[in-house]
Amino acid sequence: MRKETREKDPRGMTAKTDNTPRSLELSEGQLEVHFRRLNLAHMRRIYKDVAERAEKEEWSYRDFLALLLAEEVARRKQTRLQRCTRNAHFPFLKTVDEFDFTLQSTLRQSVIGSYLGLDFVTEGRSLILHGKTGRGKTHLAVAIGYRAIQNGFETRFTTAAELIEDLSNASKKGHLQESLAAYTHPHVLVIDEVGYLTYGPDAANVLFHVVNDRHLRKRPMIFTTNKPLNEWGKVLHDEDMAAAILDRVLERGRFIHLDGPSGRTRHLKLEETLLPKPERLRISGTSGSEFPEPTHGILNLVEKISMAGFEIVFLNADLSRLKSELSGGESG
């Protein structure tokens, strides 16, 4: 792809001249050195093939350079995405597109969509996802965290139990400030399963350090929990500290409840097959028997119902009255 021109010599003859400066005629070894110095690893691997294609298809220098740069940028983005996803410590990888919103009666996809853009991180917004087990809380938390990585940010995923245990041990050793960086530095922090396990007595204290630091620096947090907010004080062993934590999370945050069937056992259709808990049948009242002519058939009916697995509960007074009425019927 050298640029050649024809010039006339003093005798009127036309001769070929090569405008490529001698200083740019680099050997492959020298090119390798330059590629490595500039950290152009992918470009170093592909430039020969791209150069051959460019010569065959007669590309311009601009097009040749543009393709090399585009390939290098694309590879760096892919490498960064893989590295950040690995460093996030996700338990699995899910996207919002894989979440079945048809199972939710109140949650709309547009609500979650508002947490997939750059504003979620730049504005320091937070989110608490609440619901019973299997409702997709962790799925959505991972999906939002992964989208943040795709948008150029860093995400860290941890469970509440892991975070509290890690920071509690660090605090006992006098290394709390050093250990906090792992949870305060990432742009997005996902804290999963608040309330699922029992925590130590300093749970609220160490969690407050994380939440307060991130709140002051406007760094978003995502919590998943199966406990209502008014029970976080019991979970963390400190009502006042729990209130302070929630106050900071929800100042720029949102509470979202997930309902519907469990995604893990939905295929079993348990909601349709499980019978409701049988109600306790109680015969009571002060107006006497509902039957005009009591007989032993009532006791037989009770016995049959009991054999079928249902529970019959009589009050002592009712049972005595029933026996008395039956006795009276026999004597009459």
Side-chain angles (χ1 to χ4, degrees), residues 35-200:
F35 282 133
R36 292 180 184 278
R37 181 171 296 177
L38 295 173
N39 295 319
L40 299 173
H42 185 57
M43 188 181 294
R44 177 173 56 85
R45 289 189 292 265
I46 67 171
Y47 84 93
K48 291 181 182 178
D49 293 336
V50 176
E52 291 179 4
R53 180 183 172 188
E55 290 180 357
K56 290 179 181 179
E57 300 179 11
E58 299 182 349
W59 292 1
S60 66
Y61 295 125
R62 181 186 180 87
D63 292 341
F64 174 66
L65 177 61
L67 181 62
L68 285 178
L69 292 175
E71 288 287 339
E72 181 68 27
V73 169
R75 176 53 64 92
R76 289 192 179 192
K77 288 180 64 176
Q78 181 182 7
T79 301
R80 179 200 162 276
L81 182 63
Q82 294 173 345
R83 183 184 68 255
C84 290
T85 302
R86 183 171 59 252
N87 294 339
H89 303 293
F90 292 128
F92 50 76
L93 194 58
K94 292 287 186 179
T95 65
V96 173
D97 294 336
E98 298 174 86
F99 189 83
D100 191 353
F101 285 90
T102 62
L103 300 178
Q104 299 297 316
S105 63
T106 58
L107 178 61
R108 299 186 305 275
Q109 187 170 358
S110 59
V111 174
I112 298 299
S114 65
Y115 287 86
L116 302 179
L118 300 177
D119 293 347
F120 165 61
V121 179
T122 57
E123 295 178 2
R125 297 156 59 191
S126 292
L127 186 63
I128 298 178
L129 298 170
H130 168 263
K132 296 180 180 179
T133 183
R135 268 54 184 182
K137 304 182 297 296
T138 304
H139 179 149
L140 287 178
V142 168
I144 295 172
Y146 180 62
R147 178 59 66 87
I149 293 176
Q150 292 177 309
N151 289 337
F153 302 103
E154 294 180 356
T155 297
R156 170 70 187 270
F157 181 99
T158 184
T159 65
E162 290 172 349
L163 181 149
I164 291 171
E165 182 179 9
D166 181 27
L167 295 182
S168 294
N169 292 335
S171 179
K172 293 174 183 177
K173 298 176 182 178
H175 301 150
L176 179 60
Q177 292 302 319
E178 294 87 341
S179 298
L180 279 173
Y183 305 103
T184 58
H185 175 74
H187 298 98
V188 179
L189 177 65
V190 179
I191 302 178
D192 195 33
E193 299 178 344
V194 175
Y196 279 68
L197 300 176
T198 302
Y199 312 125

Side-chain angles (χ1 to χ4, degrees), residues 197-257:
L197 300 176
T198 302
Y199 312 125
D202 61 341
N205 180 54
V206 295
L207 182 58
F208 177 81
H209 278 85
V210 175
V211 171
N212 188 56
D213 185 281
R214 297 189 64 86
H215 172 261
L216 292 175
R217 294 198 285 172
K218 293 188 175 181
R219 296 207 158 177
M221 296 165 278
I222 304 174
F223 292 84
T224 72
T225 181
N226 63 342
K227 295 292 191 293
L229 301 185
N230 58 9
E231 292 187 15
W232 279 38
K234 297 179 181 178
V235 170
L236 299 175
H237 313 299
D238 192 318
E239 296 284 351
D240 294 336
M241 196 71 79
I245 289 172
L246 290 172
D247 183 64
R248 285 159 173 78
V249 172
L250 294 176
E251 180 182 354
R252 295 184 296 270
R254 184 167 185 170
F255 176 88
I256 294 179
H257 174 72

Side-chain angles (χ1 to χ4, degrees), residues 277-295:
K277 184 178 180 180
E279 295 183 0
R280 299 165 68 89
L281 179 60
R282 184 179 298 276
I283 300 177
S284 62
T286 58
S287 58
S289 172
E290 297 180 1
F291 303 95
E293 298 180 2
T295 64

Side-chain angles (χ1 to χ4, degrees), residues 262-307:
S262 169
R264 298 188 183 96
T265 59
R266 181 179 51 177
H267 64 287
L268 300 177
K269 298 182 179 179
L270 297 179
E271 287 76 9
E272 299 177 8
T273 58
L274 288 178
L275 292 174
K277 184 178 180 180
E279 295 183 0
R280 299 165 68 89
L281 179 60
R282 184 179 298 276
I283 300 177
S284 62
T286 58
S287 58
S289 172
E290 297 180 1
F291 303 95
E293 298 180 2
T295 64
H296 283 292
I298 295 177
L299 294 179
N300 293 334
L301 176 61
V302 169
E303 182 179 2
K304 290 181 180 179
I305 294 177
S306 300
M307 292 177 63

